[in-house]
Structure formats: C-alpha cells, structure tokens
Amino acid sequence: MSERSAAGGEPVSEFELSCATCGGTLTRTAVSGEALGVTVEREVVLAECTECGGRYFPRETLDRLT
C-alpha cells in the first residue's frame, strides 16, 4: 500500500482502514483456505468488517495466494 499513517509515516495496514462497503471497522480474522475455495494448507488472514461482514484480502494474504 502506498498510503502512510498520520503517526510516524509508516505504511497503513489494511486493518486501519474502514470498510469500503459500509465504513465499519475492520478486524483481523483467519479462515481456512478451503472456506475461500483456494488450496492452501494453513489458514489465511483476512480483514473482516464488524458491521456488514465484508471481507478484504490484506497484501500479505494476496502474496501467499499468488
């Protein structure tokens, strides 16, 4: 990500952003690859909205799946 946080100029984590659908808070959650329909042995990390349940793939997860 190219966005920088206001505190210290570090890159912004996906978990610091708001949900693109409803503006709710995103939290870190882990789900099995099988639940997502991908073949990975371990669970993968997602950013999940506490309000609407929207799910987003953080950069680290996308890197693991490609």
Side-chain angles (χ1 to χ4, degrees), residues 3-12 16:
E3 292 92 0
R4 301 286 177 182
S5 68
E10 294 297 317
V12 172
E16 295 177 74

Side-chain angles (χ1 to χ4, degrees), residues 7 23 41 47 53 63:
E41 293 181 19
D63 290 344

Side-chain angles (χ1 to χ4, degrees), residues 37-58:
V38 296
T39 307
V40 292
E41 293 181 19
R42 300 186 325 193
E43 291 186 326
V44 294
V45 174
L46 298 177
E48 187 170 47
C49 179
T50 59
E51 303 293 322
C52 72
R55 289 180 165 175
Y56 303 91
F57 292 88

Side-chain angles (χ1 to χ4, degrees), residues 15-62:
F15 306 102
E16 295 177 74
L17 302 173
S18 299
C19 175
T21 303
C22 74
T25 302
L26 298 178
T27 60
R28 180 182 290 267
T29 189
V31 297
S32 69
E34 184 178 309
L36 298 174
V38 296
T39 307
V40 292
E41 293 181 19
R42 300 186 325 193
E43 291 186 326
V44 294
V45 174
L46 298 177
E48 187 170 47
C49 179
T50 59
E51 303 293 322
C52 72
R55 289 180 165 175
Y56 303 91
F57 292 88
R59 173 62 49 202
E60 67 186 75
T61 299
L62 291 174

